[in-house]
Amino acid sequence: MFEGKRTYVALDLETTGLDPSDDRITEIGAVRFDEEGRELGVFDQLIDPGRPIPAFTEKLTGITNEDVRGAPAFGDVASDLAAFVGESAVVGQNVRFDLAFLAEAGLEFEGPALDTLRFARILFPEGPGALSDLAAELGVEMPVAHRALADARATASVFLQLRRRAAALAPEERSSLVRVVALDEPALARELGSEELGADDAFEAPALPERWEPPEPLERAETPERVTTEEVREALAGAARVVERFEERPQQEEMAEAVAGAFTDGGHWLVEAGTGVGKSLAYLIPAALYALRNGTRVVVSTNTIALQEQLLGKDVPALREILREAGAIASPDELRVALLKGRANYLCVQRWMGHPASLSDPEVARLAGSLARWLPKTHTGDRSELRLDRGARSAWARFSAADADCLSRQHTFVREGRCFLQRARKTAEGAHLVIVNHALLLADLASGGSAIPAYDHLIVDEAHNLEGQATQQFGLHIGARQVTDALEAIHRPRTSERREGGIVATAGLPEALGAGAAGALKAAVAGAAKGVAGPFEAVGALTEESRDDRVSITPGVRSGTRWG
Ligand code: SF4
């Protein structure tokens, strides 16, 4: 009746936990279906795991110890399940998880495995990952979550929707996708249309990002004009009309006026403000007024991604409304704001173009499949737009601009505006406000200003984290082993296991130095070697009182009993 139609089995398991070697199956749900979505059979079976189901899992799945009492053991139904699946392709959400449990229980299938999660990652690299989110995104109903048969049915529908989405892609896009996916997952490539598209042909050049024109540079005023406290007050007074739930707060006004003064008159301000004062707007308003008026750039540095997201998603839109209400800008885009990240966050187009040579690694091949879909859509090349799992995160290093060879900066991608790293930097060059994180701020300092476009004004938010970041960036790591190695490079005395070594023992040197000097040097090295451990043990003792394994040598520490 269904001759000629491909059939699949969508499979889902419920288990006592997440570890296939330690946990056990509690329920099997499977649905046989064809490519037109007709359900051809169902396998629905509770399993006695032979051990108690933890309370948390009972709550999550609704399958209780009571439910599985008297149910068959897995071994009793394994051959029925094997017969039900037969040679069909097994479809599952994160299907390797289910197959690992079955393999541990002694059952392996002959047909290929098709993972809807991987399928979705390839088609929607920026999209959701959980089955329920994926179902919602694709318009698939999910009546009961975390029961095996319901999840298997939802997985089947999600899979068919993904096939439809793949079939709707433009032929050249689908063709290039198929070629990348075929290298790693031929079964998935088949679902994408490898047979009709001929995946064995030579690899075509991967897609390139669109050309891009940089923004107009800022027009810097010859003589900077001040931002008055009245202007700041007026902007804050107007905020209540355009920002929902905005409350006037005297501390916020005081801080905004102080920041405006520092911008105009120079100097540094250290501000400590409690939660709820509205300090982001207190510095953003005067900073934006000053930058707009003088065609200059202000850098705002944060420690966390959460604050960057808050600034870009909430505070900057509010700021634009406030400035428009105050008459400082006519349209929101007049205030240019850029987020600039470290180079490891951006895709290097040069490396991407060379990727066919590196696709022998399955993780790299899989990521390349996702990137092929993402590249025509992204304007930033910023990895935060993608949902990368652990394998993809490590594969990203093969494509990122982190240690790309940018020496020929005038290569075609840069000239045509296709290099994402240069795009981000050019966008920052043309922005009034540039948002960075502390790590990039300090890397810029360490590199003499090569990471962030030149700026005259800097605001450091979450400044209490700056010291820790600076210690990481500028600190020197040294341990007892390194000191011992350095001493042994000068002289290493003979022991029962090792010969004498180091430059003092090198042929010709004792003669050149004279026996007396060489002997004195050996004695000095031996003396120093005895004292190596002491300072490190003393520092180690200081960290015993610290909350982590680091300690800052402050006057308080120096006057403590452990300082000695
Ligand atoms: S300039 Fe550097 S980061 Fe940009 S494409 Fe060229 S090599 Fe890659």
Side-chain angles (χ1 to χ4, degrees):
M1 180 175 169
F2 302 115
E3 211 176 292
K5 299 266 178 288
R6 279 186 209 168
T7 63
Y8 307 88
V9 172
L11 175 80
D12 188 69
L13 303 180
E14 299 304 332
T15 57
T16 56
L18 299 176
D19 182 355
S21 60
D22 196 38
D23 290 301
R24 297 287 179 269
I25 298 167
T26 56
E27 187 177 38
I28 304 167
V31 179
R32 173 174 287 282
F33 63 103
D34 71 8
E35 58 190 322
E36 288 180 352
R38 281 173 291 199
E39 193 169 293
L40 311 175
V42 161
F43 190 98
D44 185 17
Q45 183 65 63
L46 279 168
I47 301 290
D48 181 351
R51 63 177 61 183
I53 303 173
F56 169 78
T57 313
E58 278 190 322
K59 223 177 200 174
L60 181 74
T61 62
I63 302 172
T64 63
N65 286 295
E66 187 59 33
D67 292 336
V68 295
R69 189 163 301 132
F74 179 79
D76 300 333
V77 301
S79 58
D80 294 344
L81 180 61
F84 182 81
V85 173
E87 293 178 6
S88 299
V90 177
V91 178
Q93 174 79 358
N94 195 15
V95 71
R96 279 167 181 74
F97 172 86
D98 302 279
L99 295 181
F101 267 90
L102 292 172
E104 195 66 36
L107 180 59
E108 292 190 40
F109 301 123
E110 286 174 33
L114 292 166
D115 191 340
T116 43
L117 179 61
R118 291 195 177 192
F119 203 173
R121 284 271 180 274
I122 289 166
L123 288 177
F124 317 114
E126 319 95 299
L131 179 62
S132 52
D133 296 338
L134 203 50
E137 176 86 13
L138 295 166
V140 169
E141 260 187 56
M142 263 199 84
V144 190
H146 295 305
R147 285 304 296 257
L149 184 61
D151 282 2
R153 282 201 168 110
T155 303
S157 302
V158 162
F159 173 74
L160 291 167
Q161 282 296 338
L162 290 170
R163 279 182 101 238
R164 273 177 213 130
R165 299 284 175 111
L169 292 175
E172 40 317 327
E173 195 179 356
R174 194 148 63 108
S175 169
S176 115
L177 199 56
V178 160
R179 285 176 172 81
V180 176
V181 175
L183 291 163
D184 179 39
E185 300 198 58
L188 205 49
R190 193 165 165 244
E191 300 308 319
L192 285 162
S194 60
E195 284 159 357
E196 62 197 272
L197 292 165
D200 296 335
D201 295 353
F203 194 92
E204 285 174 4
L208 272 177
E210 295 287 320
R211 281 170 177 255
W212 177 86
E213 291 296 329
E216 293 291 320
L218 296 173
E219 276 185 41
R220 202 180 164 96
E222 277 183 21
T223 317
E225 276 186 51
R226 60 187 303 124
V227 171
T228 64
T229 49
E230 288 72 33
E231 287 173 286
V232 172
R233 268 186 224 146
E234 264 175 45
L236 278 169
R241 289 194 291 276
V242 289
V243 180
E244 230 180 289
R245 292 201 293 275
F246 182 86
E247 281 173 38
E248 284 188 41
R249 280 158 286 198
Q251 302 94 325
Q252 187 182 43
E253 191 175 306
E254 197 183 336
M255 179 178 162
E257 287 172 13
V259 175
F263 269 85
T264 309
D265 304 326
H268 302 98
W269 263 91
L270 194 64
V271 182
E272 187 173 2
T275 320
V277 165
K279 60 182 185 309
S280 307
L281 282 178
Y283 63 68
L284 286 173
I285 290 174
L289 286 170
Y290 187 87
L292 283 162
R293 178 158 308 163
N294 296 300
T296 191
R297 192 176 303 116
V298 177
V299 170
V300 178
S301 182
T302 74
N303 188 55
T304 57
I305 292 173
L307 182 56
Q308 290 191 341
E309 284 173 354
Q310 183 207 305
L311 287 175
L312 286 167
K314 184 167 155 257
D315 296 324
V316 167
L319 173 67
R320 286 180 164 137
E321 286 307 313
I322 292 168
L323 295 177
R324 193 152 62 159
E325 177 73 9
I329 53 174
S331 74
D333 295 348
E334 257 178 66
L335 176 73
R336 300 193 222 151
V337 181
L339 174 65
L340 184 61
K341 298 185 175 179
R343 49 190 303 155
N345 291 281
Y346 299 101
L347 179 79
C348 167
V349 181
Q350 177 101 315
R351 293 179 124 191
W352 163 251
M353 289 301 286
H355 81 265
S358 55
L359 287 180
S360 51
D361 177 336
E363 292 293 359
V364 175
R366 196 168 302 122
L367 178 63
S370 298
L371 295 182
R373 289 277 299 136
W374 175 62
L375 204 58
K377 289 185 274 175
T378 180
H379 296 294
T380 65
D382 179 348
R383 58 175 267 178
S384 68
E385 291 178 9
L386 298 165
R387 292 193 171 220
L388 302 178
D389 57 25
R390 197 192 301 170
R393 281 201 295 277
S394 78
W396 172 262
R398 303 284 283 272
F399 298 107
S400 93
D403 48 3
D405 175 17
C406 303
L407 284 180
S408 53
R409 289 166 82 91
Q410 279 315 307
H411 65 61
T412 324
F413 300 133
V414 176
R415 277 200 307 277
E416 293 177 347
R418 298 189 207 263
C419 164
F420 292 117
L421 179 65
Q422 295 302 325
R423 263 188 205 188
R425 290 185 172 171
K426 290 276 175 210
T427 305
E429 268 175 40
H432 299 103
L433 300 179
V434 180
I435 298 170
V436 301
N437 65 12
H438 295 347
L440 187 65
L441 180 73
L442 294 163
D444 183 64
L445 279 177
S447 67
S450 66
I452 302 175
Y455 58 93
D456 297 326
H457 296 90
L458 170 67
I459 294 166
V460 182
D461 203 338
E462 300 179 315
H464 54 285
N465 297 108
L466 190 63
E467 185 199 340
Q469 284 285 352
T471 307
Q472 272 186 19
Q473 290 263 352
F474 300 121
L476 169 73
H477 290 250
I478 190 159
R481 185 66 253 166
Q482 286 151 290
V483 179
T484 304
D485 287 347
L487 290 171
E488 289 188 347
I490 303 170
H491 180 246
R492 191 185 67 218
R494 186 156 55 104
T495 64
S496 54
E497 287 104 36
R498 294 189 308 182
R499 283 185 306 177
E500 187 181 23
I503 51 166
V504 181
T506 308
L509 196 63
E511 292 74 14
L513 287 174
L521 192 50
K522 287 181 188 177
V525 169
K530 282 192 196 131
V532 168
F536 291 100
E537 281 166 9
V539 171
L542 287 175
T543 64
E544 282 168 18
E545 283 179 358
S546 161
R547 263 176 296 165
D548 57 25
D549 60 354
R550 291 185 306 174
V551 63
S552 298
I553 310 298
T554 57
V557 170
R558 282 204 184 93
S559 60
T561 50
R562 285 175 188 261
W563 187 253

